[in-house]
Amino acid sequence: MYILIGIDPDIDKSGVAYKNGDELELMNLKFFDLLEFFEKVLREKGDKEKLLVVVEAGWLNKGNWHVMKKGSAAINAKIGNNTGRNHETGRKIVEMLEFLEIQCRLVKPTKSKVNSKFFNKITGVKKSNQEQRDAYMMIHGIK
């Protein structure tokens, strides 16, 4: 059985889901807080072979054309810029995991989102945000 960590990369704070058996912790962490979190997990749990991190990898999608049809050029440029920044954050997280020699699996994002009501039904967690739910759904069902 793995200790699972799901990550939904974000420019400011990435959504993180940590699952160890029945223990589930959801959080949002800045990039270097994420590094400290991985180091803490490694110190406390020790065995890298039992640790698996799943990262949402939007850059694996063939098309990343995110625009608002009625949006101005400036709005669409900002959307593209933020998308690229999110993708680079994800790539840097993967690079961090490789440096720490932690197993990593990349997952293409899906368009479907899980709402808080459904999330509560499958996890029992009452308070969560979209990034945390996305992070958890990447590890849901992995043994």
Side-chain angles (χ1 to χ4, degrees):
M1 182 181 297
Y2 284 112
I3 296 170
L4 300 167
I5 300 172
I7 301 184
D8 178 23
D10 192 70
I11 299 165
D12 298 315
K13 289 185 175 182
S14 296
V16 179
Y18 171 85
K19 187 164 180 11
N20 185 7
D22 291 334
E23 178 187 358
L24 175 60
E25 186 177 350
L26 302 174
M27 59 203 102
N28 293 86
L29 297 174
K30 292 181 180 183
F31 187 80
F32 288 104
D33 294 333
L34 188 57
L35 173 62
E36 288 179 345
F37 172 73
F38 288 138
E39 289 173 334
K40 177 184 174 200
V41 169
L42 289 173
R43 273 193 314 275
E44 292 177 1
K45 305 304 178 190
D47 189 359
K48 289 181 184 181
E49 297 301 314
K50 292 186 178 182
L51 182 61
L52 175 63
V53 180
V54 181
V55 179
E56 184 179 78
W59 63 93
L60 295 178
N61 286 336
K62 288 184 180 187
N64 286 308
W65 190 244
H66 303 281
V67 297
M68 292 178 60
K69 290 182 181 180
K70 294 187 179 187
S72 68
I75 289 171
N76 287 322
K78 184 172 176 69
I79 291 169
N81 182 43
N82 288 341
T83 300
R85 290 175 65 201
N86 274 348
H87 291 182
E88 188 57 27
T89 299
R91 287 181 177 107
K92 289 297 182 190
I93 290 169
V94 171
E95 186 178 334
M96 179 193 306
L97 293 166
E98 289 169 353
F99 176 79
L100 295 171
E101 299 177 336
I102 296 173
Q103 299 182 72
C104 172
R105 185 180 299 168
L106 305 180
V107 175
K108 288 183 184 183
T110 63
K111 289 186 179 184
S112 61
K113 298 286 184 183
V114 174
N115 65 33
S116 59
K117 185 176 180 180
F118 179 78
F119 189 75
N120 173 264
K121 187 176 180 179
I122 63 172
T123 65
V125 174
K126 293 182 180 172
K127 288 191 176 191
S128 63
N129 62 38
Q130 191 63 58
E131 290 80 16
Q132 294 167 346
R133 291 191 294 269
D134 289 348
Y136 175 78
M137 293 310 293
M138 287 185 288
I139 59 173
H140 181 69
I142 297 175
K143 300 287 181 193

